[in-house]
Amino acid sequence: KVAGAEMPAVTVWSRSLSPSAQKQLASEARRCFSRAQNASFWVPAIEKEDAAPRNPLERFALEVFWFHASRLGWSRDAVARLGRAAGAEYWVQRRTSRQPRKTRGVNFHFDKDEDLLDDFGLLVHPLVATATYLNDAGAPLLVLTKPTFQLGIEEPGLEA
C-alpha cells in the first residue's frame, strides 16, 4: 500500500500514446541520443512558475510523473513540499543492428539515485519506476520486487 492505495508491483499500458505522439517522442529521443548518448536527465516535478519543459521528452516525463502522483493520491501541495526531490529522471537508449552485439544491450541494473549512492553510500530507490518503449524492438524488461545488491560486493557482469 502506498498512501492508502493498493498498488500492483507491475502494470502495463500498451499503446498508451497516439501514433503521432509516439513518432514525435521517438524523433526527439533520436535527437537527444545524438547529443547526449546515454546521459540521464532530471526534471523536477515543481519548477518556478515561468519554467516549462524544455522538450517533448521532459514534457512526457512530467506527464507520466503526474499521472502516477494522481494514482497515488498526491496533491500538488504535497509534491511541492518534497522540493526538487520529487520529479522524473529520463534517459534514452538506442540500439541498432549495426552495433556490435556486445554493445547493444543494457547491463542488468536496478533503478536508484546514483548520486546518493556515489556520494554518500545511500541506496534510495524511486517510489515509482517506469519504462517506455517507443518501438517494438529491444530486450524485455525484468521486474523484481527486491534488488540483490550489497554495498562493496560486485559480481562480474552485474551492474548495480
Side-chain angles (χ1 to χ4, degrees):
K1 278 190 168 186
V2 178
E6 193 70 37
M7 291 287 152
V10 176
T11 305
V12 176
W13 285 270
S14 293
R15 296 176 183 83
S16 57
L17 292 169
S18 71
S20 63
Q22 184 173 352
K23 188 175 182 177
Q24 180 190 26
L25 282 175
S27 176
E28 183 63 29
R30 284 189 294 277
R31 277 194 293 279
C32 177
F33 188 82
S34 71
R35 289 188 312 265
Q37 297 294 303
N38 294 329
S40 64
F41 304 91
W42 179 256
V43 185
I46 306 284
E47 267 293 359
K48 299 174 188 168
E49 294 298 322
D50 58 346
R54 296 175 293 182
N55 61 57
L57 295 173
E58 283 191 1
R59 186 176 312 108
F60 179 71
L62 288 173
E63 287 171 359
V64 170
F65 174 90
W66 286 109
F67 170 79
H68 290 291
S70 173
R71 290 178 65 229
L72 292 167
W74 298 343
S75 69
R76 190 168 178 82
D77 289 340
V79 171
R81 285 193 295 273
L82 297 172
R84 290 186 56 88
E89 177 187 31
Y90 71 92
W91 50 287
V92 174
Q93 290 292 313
R94 187 153 191 250
R95 304 290 179 231
T96 69
S97 59
R98 292 182 298 259
Q99 289 175 288
R101 284 195 184 272
K102 283 187 172 184
T103 63
R104 285 188 209 167
V106 176
N107 289 334
F108 188 84
H109 72 281
F110 55 87
D111 293 344
K112 63 195 167 304
D113 187 316
E114 299 285 353
D115 291 336
L116 285 177
L117 182 61
D118 291 346
D119 296 346
F120 304 103
L122 294 174
L123 191 57
V124 178
H125 303 285
L127 183 59
V128 175
T130 68
T132 302
Y133 290 85
L134 297 174
N135 61 35
D136 59 1
L141 177 67
L142 172 67
V143 178
L144 305 173
T145 57
K146 188 185 298 185
T148 57
F149 177 73
Q150 294 178 3
L151 288 176
I153 298 175
E154 293 189 28
E155 297 177 41
L158 183 66
E159 278 190 16

